Amino acid sequence: MGSYKKNVRHTITCLCSFFFSLCCKVIDSLKLDGLEDEIVVILCELEMFFHPSFFDIMVHLVVHLVREVRLCGLVYLRWMYPVKRYIKILKAYVKNHYLPEASMIERYIAEESIEFCSEYMSKANPIGLPANSWHHKHFTSKWLRGVNIVRKFRSEVL
């Protein structure tokens, strides 16, 4: 069925379930002890299935996540992912590496101005020449006026 045995898939699924339950917007404080015990068992099972070189010092930090939720509160309130994504956008604004802050500010203000103008202009009534005006008739090619173009396929010609 899959590339891993059933017990390995079950352990990885339990690890995913642990992270899912840890990152929920509402966590029952009574279930945190169970989560802490569960992650210890999951990591022990992973150590049985995978080679020891797979594990480094960072893997054991997962055990401390439940304690961190107890002390600091919900995970989604402390995530840095949205901040890091926005910093990536700001880094893309830098064109002058000698003065990166000024370059970021200049490009950010330019983008905000363009967004404001495009929003403002979308509400405005367009002015211009209608399609049947003199301008439209004058600038179409005089060689094609009144000519019917007929397209024939190769089978019709032969």
Side-chain angles (χ1 to χ4, degrees):
M1 207 149 189
S3 60
Y4 290 114
K5 295 179 183 175
K6 186 176 181 180
N7 51 2
V8 177
R9 285 193 311 244
H10 175 71
T11 304
I12 293 174
T13 305
C14 288
L15 181 66
C16 294
S17 172
F18 168 77
F19 280 114
F20 179 77
S21 60
L22 195 67
C23 295
C24 287
K25 291 192 175 186
V26 177
I27 297 177
D28 186 10
S29 61
L30 301 174
K31 293 183 180 179
L32 288 178
D33 291 329
L35 284 175
E36 200 166 22
D37 296 337
E38 181 183 345
I39 193 61
V40 171
V41 172
I42 290 170
L43 288 178
C44 289
E45 288 177 359
L46 286 174
E47 287 176 2
M48 290 189 310
F49 300 137
F50 294 106
H51 194 269
S53 64
F54 175 76
F55 299 95
D56 60 357
I57 193 67
M58 298 301 288
V59 175
H60 96 279
L61 294 178
V62 177
V63 176
H64 301 292
L65 289 177
V66 177
R67 186 172 145 250
E68 187 178 333
V69 168
R70 275 194 193 109
L71 295 175
C72 302
L74 298 174
V75 173
Y76 81 95
L77 297 173
R78 296 175 282 116
W79 268 357
M80 290 301 295
Y81 297 119
V83 175
K84 288 191 180 266
R85 262 190 235 137
Y86 189 64
I87 287 174
K88 181 181 181 246
I89 292 169
L90 290 178
K91 279 184 177 180
Y93 288 158
V94 175
K95 295 299 175 190
N96 182 0
H97 292 286
Y98 185 69
L99 298 169
E101 293 88 1
S103 181
M104 277 186 214
I105 292 169
E106 183 179 342
R107 300 229 13 217
Y108 180 79
I109 291 173
E111 182 179 331
E112 287 291 320
S113 302
I114 289 170
E115 285 181 16
F116 173 76
C117 291
S118 63
E119 186 176 330
Y120 177 78
M121 295 302 286
S122 68
K123 297 175 185 174
N125 293 329
I127 55 173
L129 300 171
N132 57 4
S133 69
W134 171 85
H135 182 270
H136 178 70
K137 292 176 187 172
H138 181 69
F139 285 108
T140 55
S141 174
K142 66 180 182 179
W143 302 108
L144 294 178
R145 270 191 234 143
V147 176
N148 293 330
I149 298 174
V150 178
R151 182 175 178 193
K152 296 201 175 228
F153 294 102
R154 183 180 177 130
S155 60
E156 295 173 348
V157 175
L158 297 175

